């Protein structure tokens, strides 16, 4: 069994789409829009074929999106990758929630907020 995709509701799907594409080198599908269901969404993918897809969506009938209570973790593949990405995110004015550290499980990671307030762990 494999996780197919993770969905994040967003008030501004264009802004969130750009953010994930910029910092995590993801590619995006074309905009999917279903007026009858009141949904618009993009599917973002990394270059790793085994990775799950990230769906960024907006429901027009639900009002403002509420940040998820869960979080995402995205691996850079190395400690240097974590440090580089955290510094790039900081330089670009993103909120760094936690500076890089070694977690209880031995994983090196830092934590940022995406533009919608979702926690994103940047891991090695």
């Amino acid at each position: 069994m494999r996780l197919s995709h993770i969905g994040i509701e967003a008030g501004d799907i264009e802004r969130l789409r750009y953010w994930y594409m910029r910092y995590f080198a993801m590619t995006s599908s074309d905009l999917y829009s279903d007026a009858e269901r009141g949904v618009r969404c993009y599917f973002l993918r990394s270059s790793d074929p085994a990775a799950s897809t990230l769906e960024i969506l907006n429901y027009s009938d639900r009002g403002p999106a509420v940040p998820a209570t869960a979080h995402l973790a995205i691996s850079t593949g190395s400690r240097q990758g974590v440090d580089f990405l955290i510094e790039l995110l900081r330089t670009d004015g993103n909120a760094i929630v936690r500076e890089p550290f070694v977690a209880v499980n031995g994983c090196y990671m830092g934590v940022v907020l995406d533009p919608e307030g979702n926690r994103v762990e940047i891991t090695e």
Side-chain angles (χ1 to χ4, degrees):
M1 187 172 355
R2 153 177 115 78
L3 183 62
S4 171
H5 74 273
I6 297 167
I8 299 177
E9 286 190 49
D12 186 342
I13 62 174
E14 297 298 335
R15 180 176 178 210
L16 201 58
R17 171 180 171 250
Y18 174 78
W19 192 85
Y20 280 96
M21 290 173 66
R22 172 173 167 67
Y23 295 111
F24 303 105
M26 294 180 145
T27 58
S28 176
S29 69
D30 291 334
L31 176 66
Y32 170 81
S33 183
D34 184 335
E36 185 176 312
R37 289 184 36 227
V39 65
R40 299 175 335 134
C41 67
Y42 289 103
F43 290 92
L44 280 62
R45 294 173 180 83
S46 74
S47 60
D48 181 352
S52 296
T53 301
L54 179 61
E55 179 183 17
I56 296 174
L57 66 156
N58 176 272
Y59 291 98
S60 60
D61 62 345
R62 290 194 190 173
V66 177
T69 56
H71 64 268
L72 298 176
I74 299 177
S75 174
T76 64
S78 70
R79 286 184 177 209
Q80 295 83 2
V82 171
D83 292 339
F84 175 83
L85 192 50
I86 290 290
E87 193 53 42
L88 176 62
L89 287 155
R90 178 191 339 277
T91 300
D92 287 353
N94 291 278
I96 308 301
V97 175
R98 185 137 187 218
E99 294 295 330
F101 68 103
V102 177
V104 175
N105 64 359
C107 180
Y108 186 71
M109 67 182 193
V111 182
V112 301
L113 296 180
D114 75 15
E116 294 279 332
N118 299 296
R119 294 173 68 91
V120 180
E121 294 179 354
I122 312 299
T123 67
E124 62 182 317

